[in-house]
Amino acid sequence: MVSLKNLQQDLYALADPAKAKLLQGFFKTGPGEYGAGDEFLGIIVPNQRMLAKTYRDLPLIDLKPLLNSKLHEERLTGLFILILQYQRACKEKAAASQEKIYNFYLKNVRGVNNWDLVDLSAPNIIGHYLFDKDKAILHEFVADKNLWKRRIAIISTFYFIRQNHFRETLLFAEKLLADREDLIHKASGWMLREVGKRDFKTAENFVKKYYRKMPRTMLRYALEKFPQAKRSFYMQKDPKK
């Protein structure tokens, strides 16, 4: 039977305490770390994806407690289900359903609070939905004090990049140059790298303009696909002319 209770029972049946302990360390759940307080059951991602397919018809009212759960796997599985529902709405060209899922995501965005949760959901829901619409909400998010909202803003542009639209990525990467969080540096550098895969000149122009200001991690990620000579040149930070 497809119900929230049954999904939770199936998740608990897959729990692995030893794996959970490893994941708590990997996702930095200690005091003062970015994932502080996050709790894990210890379930591998492929199993969560399979459960999401089984329970893909759960109504939004049942997805709400999942996205607000203290358990990482409940939030992740809830997001997998939400993505499947959004993709179905796109396939069926059901604009009202797409909007409903998008708004539901924003109303429950507090539960999208670790990098894996952001990275799998932001491009597939927020990025896709906003591609041909007003992107003001992303401009709000990129300036927000909340780390995860800033990451949602830059990672959502991954969908734009795939459509060869780079404006927001470059603008947000510029705004995030002075960000204090390494997770933001990684995200910005990653998106710049993706721009470079599709338009090397555009990516290099950004690097050329800002490489002296770019945090080391952001720069290193952005340069991953550059030719070795160019990587060495820009990584010097203050190369001789």
Side-chain angles (χ1 to χ4, degrees):
M1 179 179 176
V2 177
S3 70
L4 173 59
K5 182 178 180 180
N6 285 344
L7 170 56
Q8 290 172 322
Q9 288 175 343
D10 286 347
L11 282 169
Y12 274 93
L14 294 170
D16 181 340
K19 180 72 172 177
K21 187 174 182 180
L22 290 174
L23 290 171
Q24 286 174 328
F26 182 73
F27 284 97
K28 307 296 183 183
T29 62
E33 295 182 310
Y34 64 74
D38 207 352
E39 298 182 22
F40 288 79
L41 290 172
I43 307 171
I44 60 173
V45 170
N47 285 342
Q48 292 177 75
R49 287 187 181 276
M50 286 195 303
L51 283 177
K53 290 178 181 179
T54 300
Y55 290 91
R56 65 186 304 161
D57 293 324
L58 274 181
L60 294 183
I61 193 172
D62 284 341
L63 293 184
K64 184 178 177 64
L66 290 178
L67 266 60
N68 288 277
S69 172
K70 65 180 182 179
L71 295 171
H72 192 98
E73 287 90 349
E74 287 198 347
R75 302 198 305 282
L76 182 56
T77 302
L79 287 169
F80 280 138
I81 294 170
L82 198 64
I83 291 167
L84 290 172
Q85 292 183 0
Y86 184 83
Q87 291 173 339
R88 181 170 58 194
C90 292
K91 186 176 181 180
E92 295 173 354
K93 297 183 178 180
S97 294
Q98 292 174 46
E99 182 179 13
K100 185 176 182 180
I101 292 168
Y102 164 79
N103 287 327
F104 176 82
Y105 183 102
L106 291 182
K107 288 178 181 177
N108 294 278
V109 74
R110 285 182 59 189
V112 188
N113 59 355
N114 217 313
W115 59 263
D116 61 326
L117 307 177
V118 172
D119 296 358
L120 77 94
S121 64
N124 290 310
I125 296 177
I126 302 299
H128 185 282
Y129 183 79
L130 293 179
F131 178 62
D132 58 355
K133 300 178 182 66
D134 185 349
K135 300 172 179 60
I137 187 67
L138 294 184
H139 290 264
E140 292 178 19
F141 274 25
V142 81
D144 200 281
K145 293 181 180 180
N146 183 278
L147 160 65
W148 306 116
K149 285 187 176 181
R150 299 199 304 279
R151 188 165 175 114
I152 286 171
I154 187 68
I155 296 296
S156 289
T157 71
F158 199 177
Y159 182 82
F160 307 162
I161 294 169
R162 290 170 179 155
Q163 316 310 310
N164 295 313
H165 178 92
F166 311 129
R167 180 181 179 275
E168 281 73 29
T169 303
L170 300 175
L171 180 60
F172 294 170
E174 180 183 2
K175 289 184 175 182
L176 294 169
L177 285 170
D179 201 282
R180 296 181 179 182
E181 296 288 346
D182 194 58
L183 281 173
I184 297 298
H185 304 165
K186 290 178 179 177
S188 297
W190 172 22
M191 292 302 99
L192 290 170
R193 182 185 70 202
E194 295 302 321
V195 170
K197 288 180 181 179
R198 294 158 177 82
D199 187 335
F200 180 78
K201 184 177 180 180
T202 294
E204 186 177 22
N205 284 342
F206 183 94
V207 170
K208 188 181 296 184
K209 184 176 182 179
Y210 294 113
Y211 72 97
R212 290 187 177 91
K213 297 180 181 179
M214 291 171 73
R216 194 77 174 176
T217 300
M218 182 192 295
L219 181 59
R220 179 167 52 82
Y221 272 57
L223 295 174
E224 279 186 2
K225 299 300 180 180
F226 276 42
Q228 179 60 49
K230 288 183 179 290
R231 287 205 306 271
S232 298
F233 176 85
Y234 290 119
M235 286 302 292
Q236 290 181 58
K237 282 284 194 176
D238 191 20
K240 296 179 181 178
K241 295 182 180 180

